[in-house]
Amino acid sequence: MNIVVLVKQVPDTWSERKLRDTDHTLDRDAADAVLDEINERAVEEALLLQEAHGGEVTVVAMGPDRATDAIRKALSMGADKAVHVSDESLHGSDALTTAKVLAKAIGTVEGYDLVIAGNEATDGRAGAVPAMLAELLGLPQVTQVRKVTVEGTTVKAERETEEGVAHLEASLPAIVSVTEKINEPRYPSFKGIMAAKKKPVTTLTISDLGLDAAEVGLGAARSQVLEAAPKPPRSAGQRVEDSGDGGVKIAEYLVGQKLI
């Protein structure tokens, strides 16, 4: 079984994140960059399926040169090789453009049976790229998955939403997006870290994928941020002195704020 895993390098959620002053896009240089946690779980699930069925795991990523660090993290976990789409013209691309570029990149991987992605990245939180990819590639999609198995040419999954759990199946090849409940990702071993340095990473530009600069980036985005301002600091609040009537004062305050 040959599996493609989509990974993304994102700003560390513990770092201060901000937008660039020039175009109001995410300032990726202002924060530490890490492999998105949900992508670690996607890689882990691919490795578990590989251990059960054999085959090869290929990591596909779109991002600047520094995204190589995230790719190497996935390779150190056990993935076999990677495809990295890196081009300055991709800066500011929206979800649809990202899906189009990733679809082209996936197309360079021969004979894949399954594409696994996280349900949403922690920076954009769009949660739409896996579904867009399925439409562009003409593949069935199984989203919001907490458990996945493969039997022959069929992928079976448990999909969990607020409404409950659904049991789904689709014919391969297919696209699966996983949630944080899917597994606990493994830690790369020292041997895995050293081996990752020798694993092949194919770097592609948009021209390699048959795309033009006018089709990608901020200029081709369907929406743009025109203005942004930092979140205002929290006020000191109102202090209640309790002289035996503290409960009444709090209740009166809540009534005044129309909270009760």
Side-chain angles (χ1 to χ4, degrees):
M1 168 174 282
N2 293 323
I3 305 172
V4 172
V5 186
L6 303 181
V7 302
K8 185 178 185 182
Q9 187 183 59
V10 297
D12 192 337
T13 54
W14 295 102
S15 299
E16 181 181 358
R17 293 171 289 176
K18 62 180 183 179
L19 302 180
R20 301 194 337 173
D21 294 332
T22 53
D23 56 15
H24 304 303
T25 59
L26 182 62
D27 188 348
R28 298 189 179 276
D29 294 329
D32 296 332
V34 297
L35 172 61
D36 202 351
E37 182 182 350
I38 194 64
N39 295 155
E40 291 187 38
R41 298 179 190 274
V43 172
E44 176 65 24
E45 197 61 25
L47 295 174
L48 292 173
L49 289 172
Q50 181 192 41
E51 291 167 0
H53 302 281
E56 193 171 55
V57 175
T58 303
V59 171
V60 173
M62 168 182 152
D65 291 343
R66 67 186 299 196
T68 303
D69 295 337
I71 293 171
R72 291 296 178 190
K73 173 71 178 293
L75 293 175
S76 69
M77 291 175 66
D80 299 290
K81 60 182 181 179
V83 175
H84 180 195
V85 183
S86 180
D87 198 302
E88 290 184 2
S89 62
L90 291 170
H91 171 75
S93 294
D94 60 7
L96 180 56
T97 300
T98 297
K100 289 180 177 179
V101 174
L102 289 175
K104 292 284 189 179
I106 292 171
T108 67
V109 181
E110 296 184 4
Y112 64 87
D113 301 292
L114 189 64
V115 178
I116 302 180
N119 61 323
E120 63 179 11
T122 55
D123 54 355
R125 303 298 295 270
V129 169
M132 291 177 174
L133 272 173
E135 178 68 20
L136 292 169
L137 294 173
L139 299 178
Q141 58 174 306
V142 184
T143 59
Q144 300 289 330
V145 170
R146 71 176 188 180
K147 182 179 180 180
V148 59
T149 58
V150 173
E151 298 179 9
T153 59
T154 302
V155 57
K156 298 184 177 181
E158 292 182 6
R159 182 179 194 269
E160 182 175 1
T161 65
E162 295 179 355
E163 288 73 30
V165 177
H167 296 268
L168 307 174
E169 62 180 61
S171 298
L172 298 177
I175 292 179
V176 172
S177 68
V178 302
T179 69
E180 70 282 353
K181 295 184 179 181
I182 190 72
N183 58 47
E184 287 296 328
R186 68 192 68 187
Y187 289 101
S189 64
F190 177 75
K191 181 179 179 180
I193 294 172
M194 298 305 294
K197 297 179 180 180
K198 299 180 181 180
K199 292 180 178 179
V201 177
T202 302
T203 302
L204 302 174
T205 64
I206 60 169
S207 62
D208 294 325
L209 299 177
L211 295 171
D212 186 83
E215 301 177 72
V216 302
L218 188 60
R222 273 68 178 175
S223 62
Q224 295 184 19
V225 178
L226 300 180
E227 186 177 352
K231 183 179 179 180
R234 295 181 61 181
S235 60
Q238 181 175 327
R239 183 174 180 178
V240 175
E241 297 288 346
D242 187 8
S243 301
D245 58 350
V248 174
K249 292 179 179 178
I250 291 175
E252 291 175 345
Y253 173 78
L254 294 175
V255 171
Q257 297 295 316
K258 297 183 179 180
L259 297 175
I260 60 174

